[in-house]
């Protein structure tokens, strides 16, 4: 199907997207922030491997922000699109209730409080210290650190029921203590990712007795925004995500609570 045709089919068949057809014999992945960037590419690559995909995004049905996901769901009927804002505990719990009988093999915490352009991310990241809005940090912490914990807590029974039992959380080198970015760069974002790392390391210990592995994955510089497409130093999204999926496939208990650079596969001491 051509891109234009499948986009049209995505719009026309909108109501059918709610009727995703999961394959009982295939594993299931749930992804947060799946409407664009790495989340969308994760949904695409897992769908192409034949997995059942629960692709979540903070947009309601019919929102243009879901156009690419809808097209994917038309091409792969085992893709379900669900509304999920990781700051909304009631919404997360309601979705977990809807899926209470479904094992979830891999839960990917991908969503983050970032902008849809690199230029805007840079503008926020490079704000001088005396002008940083620390009240705005509440939002970074809510999405980046608390969001993943809420999602794992709500979907824990689904993970326990699955064969693979994996949580994969996307972090950032901005949250590193060992290699901090210079000056005040990305202070609120970086501190929220550091909090996320701490939570995930503690979660890895807490979930070990249940046989659940908790991996932290650190992309380096991936061209997820339209204004990054021509940057030669930025890795193409499809290649970076293929590397991430290889790391998730290979993730075993010995890597639980460790931070893995997903381009090199090496453990970062942070
Ligand atoms: N790209 C890189 O080089 C890089 C480097 C280091 C770390 N990372 C990390 O990699 C992950 C993916 O990044 P990306 O570059 O693919 O980002 P992206 O393209 O900007 O996508 C971010 C996603 O998070 C969603 N999101 C934001 N707030 C949300 C909320 N409250 N609830 C649910 N979803 C929400 C966004 O939805 P909307 O469309 O609604 O905004 C969007 O789908 C993030 O965790 C990021 O911190 C990326």
């Amino acid at each position: 199907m051509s891109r234009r045709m499948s986009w049209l089919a995505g719009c026309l068949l909108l109501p059918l997207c709610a009727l995703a057809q999961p394959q009982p014999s295939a594993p299931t992945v749930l992804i947060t922030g799946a409407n664009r960037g790495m989340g969308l590419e994760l949904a695409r690559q897992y769908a192409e491997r034949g997995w059942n995909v629960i692709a979540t995004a903070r947009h309601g049905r019919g929102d243009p922000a879901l156009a690419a996901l809808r097209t994917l769901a038309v091409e792969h009927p085992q893709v379900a699109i669900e509304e999920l804002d990781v700051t909304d505990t009631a919404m997360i719990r309601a979705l977990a209730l809807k899926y209470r009988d479904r094992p979830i093999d891999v839960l990917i915490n991908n969503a983050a409080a970032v902008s849809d352009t690199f230029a805007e991310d840079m503008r926020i990241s490079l704000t001088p210290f005396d002008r940083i809005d620390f009240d705005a940090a509440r939002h970074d912490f809510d999405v980046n650190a608390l969001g993943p914990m809420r999602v794992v807590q709500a979907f824990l029974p689904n993970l326990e029921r699955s064969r693979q039992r994996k949580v994969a959380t996307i972090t950032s080198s901005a949250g590193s203590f060992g290699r901090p970015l210079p000056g005040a760069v990305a202070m609120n974002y970086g501190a929220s990712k550091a909090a996320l790392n701490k939570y995930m390391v503690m979660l890895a210990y807490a979930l070990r007795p249940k046989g659940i592995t908790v991996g932290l994955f650190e992309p380096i510089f991936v061209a997820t925004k339209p204004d990054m497409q021509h940057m030669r130093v930025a890795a193409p999204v499809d290649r970076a995500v293929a590397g991430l999926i290889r790391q998730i496939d290979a993730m075993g208990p010995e890597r639980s609570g460790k931070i893995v650079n997903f381009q090199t596969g090496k453990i970062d001491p942070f």
Side-chain angles (χ1 to χ4, degrees):
M1 205 183 310
S2 75
R3 260 180 193 278
R4 191 176 156 68
M5 282 294 289
S6 57
W7 176 83
L8 204 60
C11 295
L12 293 174
L13 300 179
L14 182 65
L16 295 184
C17 295
L19 303 174
Q21 296 154 19
Q23 298 299 313
S25 56
T28 296
V29 60
L30 182 146
I31 304 160
T32 63
N35 56 300
R36 62 185 167 93
M38 274 188 268
L40 176 62
E41 185 61 23
L42 279 162
R44 190 189 319 280
Q45 292 196 22
Y46 273 108
E48 279 166 6
R49 297 170 100 203
W51 282 49
N52 298 313
V53 178
I54 305 170
T56 73
R58 60 174 168 164
H59 303 276
R61 190 165 296 154
D63 192 306
L66 298 179
L69 261 188
R70 280 198 291 266
T71 300
L72 186 69
V74 169
E75 291 167 353
H76 300 278
Q78 83 279 19
V79 174
I81 304 171
E82 298 288 358
E83 184 176 354
L84 190 77
D85 184 323
V86 301
T87 65
D88 187 332
T89 304
M91 187 186 279
I92 296 167
R93 290 186 179 164
L95 189 63
L97 191 62
K98 176 176 173 183
Y99 280 92
R100 63 186 174 282
D101 297 326
R102 279 278 292 282
I104 292 177
D105 293 87
V106 177
L107 187 162
I108 305 183
N109 290 304
N110 163 77
V114 281
S115 312
D116 55 5
T117 64
F118 179 70
E120 180 60 8
D121 277 344
M122 281 299 98
R123 190 192 64 73
I124 296 167
S125 294
L126 297 173
T127 306
F129 174 69
D130 58 352
R131 276 192 260 140
I132 292 175
D133 178 0
F134 286 103
D135 291 329
R138 289 200 184 97
H139 182 66
D140 292 271
F141 278 78
D142 203 5
V143 179
N144 300 347
L146 304 177
M149 297 305 287
R150 292 183 185 104
V151 174
V152 175
Q153 188 185 51
F155 287 94
L156 187 57
N158 308 71
L159 283 161
E160 282 186 85
R161 220 171 279 148
S162 76
R163 294 170 79 113
Q164 299 197 23
R165 300 178 176 215
K166 293 178 181 176
V167 174
T169 295
I170 316 299
T171 184
S172 167
S173 56
S176 170
F177 284 90
R179 291 183 313 163
L181 298 170
V185 173
M187 216 181 236
N188 287 342
Y189 173 76
S192 70
K193 287 289 191 178
L196 168 71
N197 294 344
K198 180 66 180 172
Y199 265 140
M200 286 294 151
V201 170
M202 293 168 89
L203 187 69
Y205 283 106
L207 299 188
R208 194 165 287 171
K210 295 179 183 294
I212 296 173
T213 307
V214 179
L216 276 155
F217 297 93
E218 169 204 12
I220 291 305
F221 194 52
V222 182
T224 52
K225 326 265 174 175
D227 54 347
M228 295 173 84
Q229 299 310 315
H230 301 296
M231 292 180 184
R232 292 180 65 186
V233 286
V237 188
D238 55 349
R239 201 185 318 145
V241 165
L244 171 58
I245 292 177
R246 272 196 300 278
Q247 296 301 330
I248 296 173
D249 283 345
M251 178 168 100
E254 71 294 344
R255 290 208 152 187
S256 199
K258 302 279 194 310
I259 296 170
V260 176
N261 173 319
F262 73 62
Q263 274 103 321
T264 64
K266 292 199 175 123
I267 291 177
D268 190 324
F270 264 58

